[in-house]
Each structure stands twice: as C-alpha cells, then as structure tokens.
Amino acid sequence: MDANEQKIPLWRQLQAVATVLQAIRAGVSGTAALADVPADLRPGVQALSFQVLRSLGRAEALRQLLANRTPPPPADALLCAALALAWRAEDAPYEVFTLVNQAVEAAKRSAATSAQASFINACLRRFLREREALVASTDQNPVARWNHPYGGLRD
C-alpha cells in the first residue's frame, strides 16, 4: 500500500453499496448508481454491489423470515446487502462476523439508518445463530434459489 493510500473502512463501503442498491430498486441503472459513488470507494463498492445483486433474491427471502415487516428503504437495502454477502460463508468476501459487525456500524453512522441500527443488529445476529435453518427454509423459494423474479410460469 502506498504511503498516501488509506484503508477504506468496510462500513463506508457497505453504506455506499446500500445506497447503490436502493437506487437500483428505485429504477436507476446500476451504471448511473455506481457513477454517484465517490471515486475512492467505487472499485470496492462495485465489486460488493455486483455480489449483492447476484444473491439479492436469497437475501430478500431471508429478510422476510427475519422481519415481520419490511423496514424503511435505506435500512432494508443495508440489511439485504449484508445478507446477500453473508448468506453463504464460503463465498463471502469477508468473514461473516466481520460483515455483520460492519453492517451494524454502517447503520449507526448513517442518519438514514441510525434509528434502525438495533433492528439491523438483531436481524443479523439472529441470522448468524440460525443461518443453516434459515437458508434451508429459503431453498424452496424459486426467487431465492435462482435469484430471478418468479412470474408464476406454468409447465
């Protein structure tokens, strides 16, 4: 690492990933959403965002099991981003406990999600405790399994 480079905290990247996800859910193209990310964060955020989008169907199914109601969009985006990155430990870009810790830190440090930080913490800690059972219970959900919207196609 160059002497002038500083390591970017994961919580900052997760905040940006959640912002990108929220923009995409609102109909903004991924390219445009990523273009709004500060240049120093963009490479890491892009890599994490692509991984989140590849597992978003699973993450949303897990969130439905963890929360009775959908949280506000900023909190939902952060929670789903963390779940998408952590649901399969062998594919996680960081240790799962680190992802959970940093997602909660990201929630605490953002005005848009600080009120839901305890909720996000509770959901993610429960996910850690019950991961195998929660993932198994989403295996029959076609959107979770194939990460593709299911339109009720018939055979």
Side-chain angles (χ1 to χ4, degrees), residues 13-38 42 45-46 48-50 52-53 77 81:
Q13 293 180 61
L14 291 172
Q15 283 179 333
V17 168
T19 300
V20 167
L21 178 55
Q22 192 175 353
I24 290 170
R25 284 175 162 174
V28 176
S29 78
T31 302
L34 286 165
D36 289 340
V37 174
R42 196 171 303 129
V45 169
Q46 179 174 321
L48 292 172
S49 294
F50 288 170
V52 165
L53 292 172

Side-chain angles (χ1 to χ4, degrees), residues 63 67-71 119:
R63 192 251 306 125
N68 294 332
R69 291 186 287 176
T70 303
F119 165 77

Side-chain angles (χ1 to χ4, degrees), residues 20-114:
V20 167
L21 178 55
Q22 192 175 353
I24 290 170
R25 284 175 162 174
V28 176
S29 78
T31 302
L34 286 165
D36 289 340
V37 174
D40 63 329
L41 293 174
R42 196 171 303 129
V45 169
Q46 179 174 321
L48 292 172
S49 294
F50 288 170
Q51 187 167 352
V52 165
L53 292 172
R54 283 191 295 270
S55 295
L56 188 57
R58 179 74 67 164
E60 289 173 343
L62 288 166
R63 192 251 306 125
Q64 288 175 350
L65 294 174
L66 292 166
N68 294 332
R69 291 186 287 176
T70 303
D76 187 53
L78 181 58
L79 178 57
C80 285
L83 290 168
L85 294 170
W87 81 272
R88 193 172 160 151
E90 59 270 19
D91 293 335
Y94 298 92
E95 291 293 326
V96 175
F97 288 100
T98 300
L99 285 167
V100 167
N101 174 276
Q102 292 296 287
V104 173
E105 189 66 24
K108 289 178 184 176
R109 290 177 178 251
S110 170
T113 55
S114 62

